Amino acid sequence: MSVVLVLLAIALAVPLGLTESGAAVLGVLGWLVALAARVPTIASAGRLRDPQRGRTILAASSGVTDELVRLGLVLIGVSGFAPALWAGFGWALAELVFTGATRLAQFRWPMKRDAAELLRSQGGVASTHPAHSGVRGTTAAALHLGATLLVAAGPWWVLATAVAHVAVNLSFVRWARHRLALVELFGAAVSVVLLLGGLIVFDRLF
């Protein structure tokens, strides 16, 4: 994932410069606010007797929460193409760093039983393979860049980004264990569509 972040930072800095890169800090703060906003749902889902139902509820609600926080972030402090890209980068940076740190804590050797079960539910050993982590990192970055661009172009786009985010989250929770390749392909396709849509609305595709 670190390689993905470095390459993405270079890809943004070369054409855009660093003048607007401070918006990345807003993206990081936005992700932290979104994480904090999930806490009540996490607590409620954790009390359910059916763990799968709890994960499904959390996946759906977190997608909506993230996009509402992203909308607030854009309305408060992000305007224009370059700031939106940098803010999306900051959001992706925070998420990927947190995910990487969490995995290191969960999957240290010897592996705990609950960590092993989580690993299996997310696609087995492939979930911790560097190449697989790179694919997921790229998908997440594309999703957050595209979603931030779209919402920055018009607040009404939050409806589309929320639906897309929820769909990706639910696909991983419900089907990653048995259909990992298809789920990854679906997530990548949705993320690419969001990114292309964001570039199109800003007339920056070509």
Side-chain angles (χ1 to χ4, degrees), residues 10 59 179:
I10 294 173
R179 298 180 178 87

Side-chain angles (χ1 to χ4, degrees), residues 93-155:
L93 171 66
E95 179 175 295
L96 294 179
V97 169
F98 179 83
T99 300
T102 302
R103 286 185 178 278
L104 286 176
Q106 287 177 324
F107 300 127
R108 62 183 182 274
W109 190 262
M111 188 178 293
K112 295 180 180 179
R113 180 178 298 178
D114 56 346
E117 176 60 28
L118 177 61
L119 177 62
R120 286 193 294 271
S121 71
Q122 295 182 341
V125 177
S127 294
T128 56
H129 192 282
H132 186 244
S133 297
V135 170
R136 283 201 176 178
T138 303
T139 297
L143 187 150
H144 293 306
L145 289 173
T148 308
L149 282 174
L150 284 171
V151 175

Side-chain angles (χ1 to χ4, degrees), residues 22 33 72 86:
V33 171
W86 280 114

Side-chain angles (χ1 to χ4, degrees), residues 23-34 73 86-95:
V25 177
L26 293 177
V28 172
L29 292 176
W31 184 86
L32 291 173
V33 171
L73 169 72
W86 280 114
F89 170 76
W91 193 294
L93 171 66
E95 179 175 295

Side-chain angles (χ1 to χ4, degrees), residues 5-192:
L5 291 172
V6 171
L7 292 177
L8 180 57
I10 294 173
L12 293 179
V14 170
L16 300 178
L18 298 176
T19 305
E20 307 287 353
S21 60
V25 177
L26 293 177
V28 172
L29 292 176
W31 184 86
L32 291 173
V33 171
L35 179 64
R38 298 177 202 167
V39 171
T41 305
I42 293 173
S44 299
R47 290 194 292 267
L48 295 176
R49 293 184 177 181
D50 183 357
Q52 181 62 26
R53 183 184 178 190
R55 286 192 290 268
T56 300
I57 292 173
L58 181 58
S61 62
S62 65
V64 174
T65 300
D66 281 11
E67 296 311 314
L68 291 177
V69 172
R70 195 191 312 275
L71 174 61
L73 169 72
V74 167
L75 292 177
I76 292 172
V78 177
S79 177
F81 179 73
L85 276 180
W86 280 114
F89 170 76
W91 193 294
L93 171 66
E95 179 175 295
L96 294 179
V97 169
F98 179 83
T99 300
T102 302
R103 286 185 178 278
L104 286 176
Q106 287 177 324
F107 300 127
R108 62 183 182 274
W109 190 262
M111 188 178 293
K112 295 180 180 179
R113 180 178 298 178
D114 56 346
E117 176 60 28
L118 177 61
L119 177 62
R120 286 193 294 271
S121 71
Q122 295 182 341
V125 177
S127 294
T128 56
H129 192 282
H132 186 244
S133 297
V135 170
R136 283 201 176 178
T138 303
T139 297
L143 187 150
H144 293 306
L145 289 173
T148 308
L149 282 174
L150 284 171
V151 175
W156 52 85
W157 282 108
V158 72
L159 297 174
T161 62
V163 170
H165 203 154
V166 169
V168 171
N169 284 358
L170 288 178
S171 69
F172 274 99
V173 168
R174 297 181 67 86
W175 299 300
R177 182 172 182 175
H178 302 292
R179 298 180 178 87
L180 180 62
L182 289 177
V183 169
E184 294 286 6
L185 182 60
F186 173 73
V190 171
S191 299
V192 168

